[in-house]
Amino acid sequence: MLKKIKKALLSLAASGLLLTGISTWQAAPVAAATANYQQQDLNLDVKAAIAVDADSGQILYAKNATTPRQIASMTKLVTVYLTLQAIKQGKLSWTSTSKPTAAIAKISQNTEYSNVPLTSSRAYTIKDLYRATLIESANGAAMTLAQAVSGDQVTFVKKMRKLLTSWGIKDAKIYNACGLANGNLGSAAYPGVGKDVENEMSATDMAIVCQKLLKDFPEVLQTTSITSATFSSGSTQSQMTNWNWMLKGLSSYYSDLPVDGLKTGTTDKAGACFAGTVKKNGHRIITVVLGAKHANSQDPSRFVQTAKLMHYVYQNYTAVTLKKGSSISGANTVKVPEGKETSSKVVLDKTVTIWAKQGSKLQTSLSKTTVSAPVKKGSKVASYKFSATSGKLPSLSGKTVTAPAVATQDNQEANFFVRLWRSIFGSK
């Protein structure tokens, strides 16, 4: 009898009357985040800007955010990342030393640029050079770090480019480790390019750099939050003051914005730039402004605009944190037609924070509603996809914010007879 039934089923399948297999639902691909996402809500007086959640990369605001522009000394964040990476890999230590070349020493003694004075007759510790790079934005110190990591400036620039490419940043233009115009570097200039060229990245790309740095080396905030320190060069003592005036105790500090990083940048072409970060109400965001006004060395415009952007985010968004292991109503099961149980429960596999415009509601769906057996406890079976009634929730990856959905228990494949019965009479 079983053979007859099986033969009949095969006949139906051949005629196309019996549909078998696993049905899946996959949302349409999300286009890359627009360059002006929600910029109509805020009129920032800058050439380009972006605000993102530091963890998920969810974009909360963007203005001309995908257009590459000069980034000046914000370049040093890439230099710092590679320095910290070399230390983590054991290639350098904080007590390792590096002696600047004559060309670097000459740059470091130019008072037109941010610097601590270095001499080619003395070696400096990586820790001292690192601190000078982040606090004083010292150009010579950044170039000496590059030399310590790669041996020479050109090799280090290639390393910078390779790192950025690995992060999906494809339109950056990088020529040096410090952010000065190529013509300002004398004999240390990058060969084969004009003297006016400068490092360029988009606000989006710079946000990615900040996100990677904070994720892989969160200890960087211990240094970027220092307002002042002393740099020693033999018998010479140099006082360093952080160019990030939004730090507590400095001129552009806002008591409701406990900013603790990251890096400023200024050239004639770039204008005043700032990659900032702040953690408030338990949630950290990253902001980038490019091309703010720079009337003179005392102009606080980039910090005024950054504060405006940070306030906008915290005042207009509600951050909802969904904890690892949470079961989300309406998206807590997947169908398993061939399993012993015809459905499996799923939960969030990591804690995720979603920002929604005030007045809007979060919406959650699963990338798959049907999966094949067997299902193993703790295995990823789908992804949670988040949206809001106010619109999509784009992220730095160019996709909507997602989180893994994992099974809460094993669900083995049902035996042949059960599967056959279901194929004929349904799963009930």
Side-chain angles (χ1 to χ4, degrees):
M1 179 67 180
L2 179 61
K3 289 183 179 179
K4 290 182 179 179
I5 294 174
K6 191 172 182 180
K7 184 175 181 180
L9 291 173
L10 290 173
S11 177
L12 287 170
S15 66
L17 297 177
L18 179 68
L19 302 179
T20 63
I22 302 168
S23 64
T24 62
W25 174 84
Q26 180 67 48
V30 179
T34 62
N36 296 308
Y37 179 70
Q38 294 185 338
Q39 79 159 29
Q40 68 274 15
D41 293 343
L42 181 64
N43 183 28
L44 286 184
D45 189 13
V46 297
K47 298 294 185 183
I50 195 168
V52 302
D53 177 80
D55 181 40
S56 69
Q58 181 186 341
I59 297 174
L60 308 173
Y61 174 86
K63 174 182 178 180
N64 302 328
T66 59
T67 303
R69 294 185 54 83
Q70 293 82 9
I71 57 171
S73 284
M74 292 192 300
T75 298
K76 296 181 176 80
L77 294 179
V78 184
T79 300
V80 162
Y81 184 98
L82 288 171
T83 301
L84 292 170
Q85 184 183 70
I87 292 172
K88 183 178 180 179
Q89 294 171 346
K91 297 176 181 178
L92 289 175
S93 73
W94 289 116
T95 57
S96 299
T97 60
S98 183
K99 185 182 292 187
T101 63
I104 294 175
K106 184 177 180 180
I107 293 168
S108 77
Q109 294 167 20
N110 189 329
T111 57
E112 293 181 6
Y113 316 137
S114 297
N115 270 314
V116 292
L118 306 176
T119 173
S120 59
S121 62
R122 177 182 171 85
Y124 301 86
T125 66
I126 297 302
K127 183 175 182 179
D128 285 345
L129 294 168
Y130 168 85
R131 283 164 57 89
T133 297
L134 285 174
I135 299 171
E136 181 61 32
S137 191
N139 292 288
M143 295 176 73
T144 308
L145 285 178
Q147 180 177 290
V149 172
S150 296
D152 63 78
Q153 302 301 306
V154 172
T155 303
F156 186 76
V157 167
K158 291 179 180 178
K159 195 174 187 72
M160 294 172 77
R161 292 171 177 174
K162 184 177 180 180
L163 177 69
L164 295 176
T165 299
S166 73
W167 290 342
I169 298 173
K170 303 186 185 308
D171 55 0
K173 297 179 181 179
I174 302 296
Y175 304 101
N176 59 64
C178 65
L180 287 172
N182 198 47
N184 295 141
L185 300 179
S187 59
Y190 193 84
V193 297
K195 65 180 182 179
D196 294 330
V197 300
E198 296 185 21
N199 296 341
E200 294 183 10
M201 270 195 270
S202 67
T204 297
D205 293 342
M206 183 52 59
I208 292 173
V209 170
C210 295
Q211 185 189 38
K212 295 289 186 181
L213 180 59
L214 292 176
K215 179 181 178 180
D216 295 345
F217 303 105
E219 64 271 22
V220 72
L221 294 174
Q222 297 173 13
T223 304
T224 60
S225 59
I226 295 173
T227 56
S228 64
T230 301
F231 182 86
S232 178
S233 181
S235 59
T236 303
Q237 301 288 316
S238 301
Q239 185 65 25
M240 301 186 294
T241 301
N242 204 315
W243 287 97
N244 175 7
W245 300 345
M246 294 188 78
L247 296 177
K248 187 175 182 179
L250 299 184
S251 59
S252 292
Y253 171 68
Y254 292 77
S255 60
D256 63 334
L257 295 173
V259 171
D260 50 6
L262 285 161
K263 191 72 194 69
T264 58
T266 312
T267 65
D268 290 341
K269 280 188 175 181
C273 307
F274 179 46
T277 185
V278 60
K279 186 175 183 180
K280 183 176 179 179
N281 303 329
H283 305 293
R284 180 174 292 280
I285 63 172
I286 295 166
T287 61
V288 178
V289 296
L290 304 179
K293 291 180 180 178
H294 185 62
N296 53 58
S297 60
Q298 302 303 312
D299 192 339
S301 293
R302 59 184 156 193
F303 306 119
V304 171
Q305 298 305 311
T306 295
K308 188 176 180 181
L309 178 53
M310 289 178 172
H311 282 135
Y312 167 84
V313 171
Y314 288 113
Q315 291 171 2
N316 288 274
Y317 281 88
T318 298
V320 178
T321 298
L322 304 172
K323 294 186 176 181
K324 180 178 179 179
S326 296
S327 176
I328 299 177
S329 177
N332 53 10
T333 60
V334 291
K335 295 177 182 178
V336 191
E338 297 176 345
K340 285 187 176 181
E341 300 292 334
T342 56
S343 66
S344 286
K345 293 182 178 180
V346 294
V347 295
L348 272 169
D349 192 38
K350 71 172 186 177
T351 298
V352 61
T353 296
I354 308 298
W355 297 73
K357 290 294 287 290
Q358 290 186 3
S360 67
K361 294 182 179 180
L362 283 179
Q363 300 172 325
T364 308
S365 61
L366 288 166
S367 60
K368 292 181 180 179
T369 56
T370 303
V371 300
S372 58
V375 173
K376 186 177 180 180
K377 179 181 179 179
S379 64
K380 178 182 175 181
V381 296
S383 293
Y384 285 105
K385 306 191 76 170
F386 304 97
S387 60
T389 53
S390 59
K392 296 179 180 179
L393 306 178
S395 72
L396 289 174
S397 67
K399 302 177 181 178
T400 56
V401 179
T402 64
V406 297
T408 61
Q409 58 188 18
D410 291 337
N411 190 354
Q412 301 298 326
E413 186 178 44
N415 66 47
F416 170 75
F417 297 103
V418 171
R419 287 183 283 126
L420 180 63
W421 179 268
R422 289 175 182 169
S423 68
I424 300 172
F425 299 105
S427 60
K428 293 183 178 180

